[in-house]
Amino acid sequence: MSEEDEIILSELDDDELVAQMHDDLYDGLKEEIEEGTNILLERGWTPYDVLTKALVEGMRIVGIDFRDGILFVPEVLLAANAMKAGMTILRPLLAETGAPKLGSMVIGTVKGDIHDIGKNLVGMMMEGAGFDVHDIGINSDVDKYLAAIEEHSPDILGMSALLTTTMPYMKVVIDTMVEKGMRDDYTILVGGAPLNEDFGKAIGADAYCRDAAVAVETAKEFMARKHNQMAAG
């Protein structure tokens, strides 16, 4: 079956190529995604169409299988990494064309905690869904969050913790925002293995997201609500 081994991307028509890119994303094939992205651009596709139809749609499929336990973190990270390679090509082009963005997000792992796989996964999936993501890294104290909020004025603030000892620090950040009268200007999403919905409510977050796929869905819902309110207001 040697003919089966080598798929020549440039010989596929647009629909076949997009379907193949979904498969390649799923398999975490970075170079194939770069090649597919460039082929579609050469064929006159807009950067926004390449992003949404080839990459975001591919990541949506990955997200569903991750949520349903068919794919696991290592595979999703590979897919997200392949997606990133395509994004690297598209990002400057998107900036030139002023393509619509869903919204923006500041994300970080809270003070005392140095875990970042979950946070990175959320960041990549959010970026794949069309959000501008500003990742402030691990061990982030309240000042670091506030500085990032001031610099980027995001729609969404994401906080991650993997230790039961660092979870309470999320409340410190939220309480500080309340004191400064700025809490209501942002949607706050929290996540991490030891957290649950009750904890999210108790500290005053807008939502607890159990994984990256849920985080993306939740962020989209809040942005849709925000746009509806603005339209109504």
Side-chain angles (χ1 to χ4, degrees):
M1 297 265 296
S2 59
E3 292 149 34
E4 290 290 318
D5 291 349
E6 202 48 55
I7 295 171
I8 312 291
L9 294 180
S10 56
E11 291 175 3
L12 302 175
D13 69 27
D14 286 9
D15 290 346
E16 291 169 338
L17 178 55
V18 168
Q20 183 59 45
M21 285 175 73
H22 293 168
D23 288 348
D24 290 344
L25 250 187
Y26 197 92
D27 297 332
L29 303 175
K30 193 173 152 199
E31 284 164 13
E32 284 79 351
I33 290 299
E34 288 173 334
E35 190 186 339
T37 299
N38 283 323
I39 292 169
L40 288 174
L41 290 170
E42 281 159 21
R43 290 183 185 176
W45 279 50
T46 66
Y48 184 69
D49 278 348
V50 179
L51 172 67
T52 50
K53 292 176 185 166
L55 300 184
V56 172
E57 181 54 27
M59 272 314 271
R60 192 183 68 79
I61 300 163
V62 169
I64 289 167
D65 280 3
F66 175 53
R67 184 191 66 204
D68 294 344
I70 298 163
L71 287 177
F72 298 98
V73 168
E75 290 124 326
V76 178
L77 284 174
L78 276 174
N81 220 15
M83 158 105 199
K84 231 178 181 171
M87 283 293 293
T88 303
I89 297 167
L90 294 175
R91 193 176 286 118
L93 304 172
L94 287 164
E96 282 168 29
T97 53
K101 277 280 175 196
L102 272 180
S104 63
M105 177 185 207
V106 161
I107 189 170
T109 304
V110 295
K111 185 179 174 184
D113 209 316
I114 56 167
H115 294 89
D116 66 357
I117 288 183
K119 168 184 67 63
N120 293 352
L121 199 53
V122 171
M124 286 182 194
M125 298 271 287
M126 289 286 289
E127 193 161 78
F131 285 83
D132 272 326
V133 177
H134 308 282
D135 187 339
I136 59 172
I138 52 173
N139 195 17
S140 303
D141 62 14
V142 66
D143 292 339
K144 203 166 169 189
Y145 278 106
L146 293 176
I149 288 171
E150 194 170 326
E151 185 181 345
H152 303 295
S153 355
D155 302 292
I156 296 168
L157 177 65
M159 291 190 280
S160 167
L162 227 100
L163 305 170
T164 48
T165 48
T166 56
M167 281 164 53
Y169 195 79
M170 293 179 169
K171 189 171 181 333
V172 175
V173 176
I174 294 174
D175 287 350
T176 306
M177 290 172 73
V178 171
E179 279 162 31
K180 292 184 176 292
M182 58 194 283
R183 161 67 189 94
D184 295 341
D185 299 338
Y186 307 95
T187 296
I188 298 180
L189 305 182
V190 295
L195 279 69
N196 57 35
E197 210 155 315
D198 292 340
F199 177 78
K201 285 198 182 94
I203 61 168
D206 287 293
Y208 152 73
C209 305
R210 65 183 162 81
D211 62 37
V214 174
V216 171
E217 283 166 30
T218 309
K220 282 181 173 172
E221 278 165 29
F222 276 105
M223 291 311 298
R225 257 184 251 174
K226 188 173 179 174
H227 289 310
N228 291 343
Q229 282 165 358
M230 284 163 77

